[in-house]
Amino acid sequence: MRGEKDEGSAAGGARCDEDRVIEARGIRHAYVPARPDLRDVDLDVRRGELVAVVGENGSGKTTLARHLNALVGLQAGALRVAGLDASDPSTLWELRRACGMVFQNPENQFVSSVVGEDVAFGPENFGAGGERAREAALEALRAVGLEGFERRDVHALSGGQQQRVALAGVLASGPEVVVLDEATSMIDPRGRDELMAAVERVRRELGATVVWVTHDMELAARADRVVVMGAGEVLASGAPADVLTDAALLERAGLEQPLAARTWAELVRMGAADGPAPVTVEGLVSALCG
Ligand SMILES: Nc1ncnc2c1ncn2[C@@H]1O[C@H](COP(=O)(O)OP(=O)(O)OP(=O)(O)O)[C@@H](O)[C@H]1O
Ligand SMILES: [Mg+2]
């Protein structure tokens, strides 16, 4: 993403010429000896893809997400992110810039209460000069639809706006990949829709690759691919239309089908519909009316 332009600004970014931006092989992790929390996890994410990672509480989603940004050190297996080897301490800083993270609680992510200063912190921290960092911040705020917000107080914003500020803070450093970990779970439905729209725009305009850890099956239904985790393992990976309609798989993973698929199953049971289940509300409407 944005690899062609200057380094150290919103227009910069670590270079990765391969089609695969994330390549994880056999990652194992145990916070406590002899109690594995990740078991031989493989994950491939292609450039520009939006991959949703779903799974019940404690299934290892956050542990996996934190590996991608080297917040959790690699104990076993191999991991390349944006062409960088996660086990190489000499490129740790570069890897952190190449893979930015947005967390659950917007309030915990700010280093300044002024939006523009907060968003400029990332590029400054990665070595960009003040003017360049400010330009990167403005560009990133534009990308998430918060143009003109640079002097606002982050604490006076809605949860959805705060998460977009957090996303802009990540984008300003010019990452290859953005990882969101439960980034919508503390904000209202409107904020969730705003954040989803901002992520879509960032993908479209900047070619960002996105890994979105979520419990929200409606959000997962809009991803290019869904990865299902259970007890530290990848149970399945595939198109939302396949994975999110697999009732047996989802039950095993402790997850529910999206509303559209559940509604469709009920209609099929009543004899009012047949054929493949839709996974989004739009898909349901067009299956019923189209
Ligand atoms: N810092 C830690 N120290 C010890 N154990 C941990 C730590 N973080 C997570 N774990 C354990 O690792 C396992 C996986 O946790 P993880 O947070 O990755 O799951 P998750 O899928 O993100 O769950 P949730 O949906 O609740 O966020 C759990 O058993 C959890 O208790
Ligand atoms: Mg988690």
Side-chain angles (χ1 to χ4, degrees):
M1 157 190 183
R2 297 185 291 184
E4 267 64 59
K5 301 189 199 160
D6 292 350
E7 266 210 347
S9 72
R15 282 171 191 280
C16 177
D17 297 328
E18 297 163 24
D19 186 43
R20 237 179 275 146
V21 181
I22 294 171
E23 190 175 358
R25 289 289 173 273
I27 297 186
R28 267 169 281 144
H29 189 84
Y31 289 102
V32 177
R35 195 205 67 191
D37 296 301
L38 286 184
R39 306 155 189 257
D40 290 318
V41 167
D42 292 347
L43 178 72
D44 284 314
V45 180
R46 288 191 309 278
R47 181 179 302 283
E49 231 185 343
L50 196 173
V51 173
V53 178
V54 298
E56 65 185 342
N57 294 120
S59 57
K61 305 180 299 294
T62 293
T63 305
L64 175 60
R66 286 173 173 261
H67 271 84
L68 303 178
N69 181 263
L71 286 172
V72 169
L74 200 58
Q75 292 178 348
L79 172 64
R80 290 184 78 79
V81 178
L84 301 164
D85 182 346
S87 66
D88 181 353
S90 72
T91 52
L92 191 73
W93 208 233
E94 212 183 322
L95 188 144
R96 293 223 167 114
R97 188 169 77 110
C99 181
M101 287 196 74
V102 178
F103 298 97
Q104 184 172 25
N105 188 344
E107 299 269 356
N108 291 348
Q109 301 180 60
F110 301 121
V111 290
S112 166
S113 57
V114 181
V115 168
E117 285 176 15
D118 183 79
V119 175
F121 177 79
E124 267 169 12
N125 199 30
F126 287 118
E131 189 50 38
R132 215 151 149 211
R134 264 190 300 282
E135 279 169 23
L138 292 180
E139 192 184 323
L141 284 168
R142 256 198 307 278
V144 300
L146 290 178
E147 198 167 6
F149 275 63
E150 43 294 353
R151 290 182 198 284
R152 301 274 287 269
D153 179 348
V154 285
H155 303 292
L157 303 180
S158 71
Q161 288 169 332
Q162 288 181 336
Q163 284 300 57
R164 284 191 284 152
V165 171
L167 176 61
V170 162
L171 293 173
S173 300
E176 295 267 354
V177 192
V178 178
V179 178
L180 301 105
D181 189 357
E182 308 283 3
T184 57
S185 61
M186 292 179 72
I187 59 181
D188 62 20
R190 182 171 161 195
R192 178 193 94 143
D193 291 347
E194 286 173 5
L195 185 64
M196 282 170 67
V199 167
E200 266 316 311
R201 183 166 160 185
V202 161
R203 290 182 71 207
R204 202 172 52 241
E205 294 181 5
L206 306 176
T209 304
V210 178
V211 175
W212 200 325
V213 172
T214 185
H215 277 107
D216 182 341
M217 302 306 268
E218 315 307 318
L219 196 160
R222 295 171 198 286
D224 296 323
R225 192 153 54 85
V226 180
V227 169
V228 181
M229 293 194 66
E233 289 181 273
V234 172
L235 301 181
S237 165
D242 298 327
V243 171
L244 300 181
T245 55
D246 186 336
L249 165 70
L250 295 179
E251 195 182 329
R252 184 153 70 97
L255 299 169
E256 214 177 30
Q257 294 189 38
L259 176 67
R262 279 183 281 137
T263 307
W264 188 259
E266 192 60 22
L267 290 169
V268 169
R269 201 185 57 77
M270 290 160 59
D274 64 7
V279 289
T280 62
V281 173
E282 294 84 353
L284 178 64
V285 170
S286 78
L288 291 174
C289 309

